[in-house]
């Protein structure tokens, strides 16, 4: 098939890479490859720590995609850290939040190692560096800045929080602010914590980089870094990991997460399978985790017509199912 992919974030590039691997002809279009939400993302591969009530479908998808990440990362030549996630609470109320998360994860069969101080390790979780992933993908997948006319059999829309008309209303931006620091004393694994009720995560990377995130705000305005957002993140992160006080603050970034009405991605035909317009969008907080699974699902759909009903965009567009 000849497939056009609009959007060179981690989703569009992963889809394009999978299609190329399967022998299809692919054109990826993006004037600023890798500059959207993928640029901000912390890269946590953590379906259980991100689990929330009534989001069991997302947990299942996350687990399926996490299982793909090892071979996916090997193929791209990027490292994945597999040291798990430490859930930690600062005050008594925050520790109750940890206990609630642990109970939820265990209810859904996730492995948890409880610690004496009320914290808990999710040993099966991992993390990666999304910028390294995007760089590796850009080395494999050519991207052009402008959409030129040309014959194609299908178009995959993977433009994150700004889908083109007439699909724009299917996603809305949820602003996330995120920090990058450099520390000589980083945590040994990802911390997911609550500090006086504020949720925060601290993700260590190689060479002392530490990512601290993230705010979450419904907003119509373009995403910008705010003084209040940076203050909240730093206050919460250093309460959990005091050594961050000495860390160099390297970068503060804001991007919109692409959120759908039910928090589940849109993967499949936009309206009618025969139209050849396929969505790979709306991954909200889970784009990095779900990238390899989304790539398989889109490629499988284009080759066989199969669609996962949970992700089918026609649940919102009213198209033929
Ligand atoms: N997945 C983390 C975030 O969206 O902040």
């Amino acid at each position: 098939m000849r497939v056009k992919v609009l959007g060179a974030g981690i989703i569009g590039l992963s889809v394009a890479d999978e299609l190329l691997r399967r022998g299809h002809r692919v054109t990826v279009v993006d004037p600023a490859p890798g500059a959207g939400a993928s640029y901000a993302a912390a890269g946590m591969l953590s379906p259980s720590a991100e689990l929330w009530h009534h989001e069991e479908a997302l947990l299942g998808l996350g687990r399926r995609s996490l299982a793909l990440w090892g071979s996916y990362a090997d193929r791209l030549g990027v490292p994945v850290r597999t040291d798990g996630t430490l859930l930690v609470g600062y005050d008594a109320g925050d520790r109750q939040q940890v206990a609630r998360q642990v109970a939820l994860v265990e209810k859904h069969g996730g492995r948890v190692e409880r610690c004496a101080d009320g914290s808990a390790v999710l040993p099966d979780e991992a993390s990666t560096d999304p910028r390294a992933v995007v760089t590796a993908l850009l080395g494999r997948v050519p991207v052009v800045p402008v959409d030129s006319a040309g014959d194609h059999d299908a178009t995959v829309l993977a433009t994150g929080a700004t889908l083109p008309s007439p699909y724009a209303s299917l996603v809305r931006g949820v602003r996330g602010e995120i920090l990058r620091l450099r520390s000589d004393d980083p945590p040994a694994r990802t911390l997911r914590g609550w500090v006086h009720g504020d949720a925060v995560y601290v993700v260590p990377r190689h060479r002392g980089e530490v990512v601290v995130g993230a705010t979450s705000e419904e907003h119509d305005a373009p995403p910008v870094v705010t003084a209040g957002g940076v203050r909240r993140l730093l206050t919460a992160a250093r309460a959990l990991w005091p050594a961050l006080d000495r860390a160099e603050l390297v970068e503060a970034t804001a991007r919109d997460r692409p959120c759908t009405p039910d928090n589940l991605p849109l993967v499949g035909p936009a309206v009618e399978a025969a139209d050849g317009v396929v969505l790979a969008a709306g991954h909200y907080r889970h784009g990095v985790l779900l990238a390899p699974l989304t790539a398989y699902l889109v490629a499988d759909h284009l080759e066989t017509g199969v669609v996962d009903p949970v992700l089918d965009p026609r649940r919102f567009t009213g198209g033929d199912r």
Side-chain angles (χ1 to χ4, degrees), residues 21-55:
R21 254 169 38 97
R22 297 190 189 192
H24 301 289
R25 281 168 50 195
V26 183
T27 306
V28 184
V29 184
D30 194 325
S38 308
Y39 187 74
M44 290 174 295
L45 307 176
S46 57
S48 293
E50 290 271 4
L51 174 63
W52 194 232
H53 293 277
H54 310 301
E55 292 195 343

Side-chain angles (χ1 to χ4, degrees), residues 258-274:
C259 187
T260 64
D262 61 5
N263 290 355
L264 283 162
L266 307 160
V267 182
V271 183
E272 312 276 348

Side-chain angles (χ1 to χ4, degrees), residues 91-142:
D91 64 23
D94 299 323
R95 284 190 287 278
Q96 282 184 356
Q97 180 59 48
V98 171
R100 282 197 290 272
Q101 192 69 25
V102 164
L104 187 62
V105 172
E106 286 183 331
K107 180 178 153 195
H108 293 288
R111 284 206 305 149
V112 179
E113 294 164 3
R114 292 160 189 268
C115 309
D117 63 358
S119 61
V121 176
L122 306 176
D124 298 323
E125 302 213 323
S127 67
T128 190
D129 180 348
R131 292 182 185 176
V133 175
V134 166
T135 300
L137 284 165
L138 287 171
R140 299 161 63 94
V141 177

Side-chain angles (χ1 to χ4, degrees), residues 243-284:
L244 287 182
D245 245 358
R246 297 193 309 276
E248 179 188 352
L249 178 56
V250 178
E251 183 189 306
T253 306
R255 292 290 188 276
D256 279 333
R257 303 176 181 87
C259 187
T260 64
D262 61 5
N263 290 355
L264 283 162
L266 307 160
V267 182
V271 183
E272 312 276 348
D275 291 349
V277 178
V278 176
L279 295 179
H283 289 72
Y284 188 32

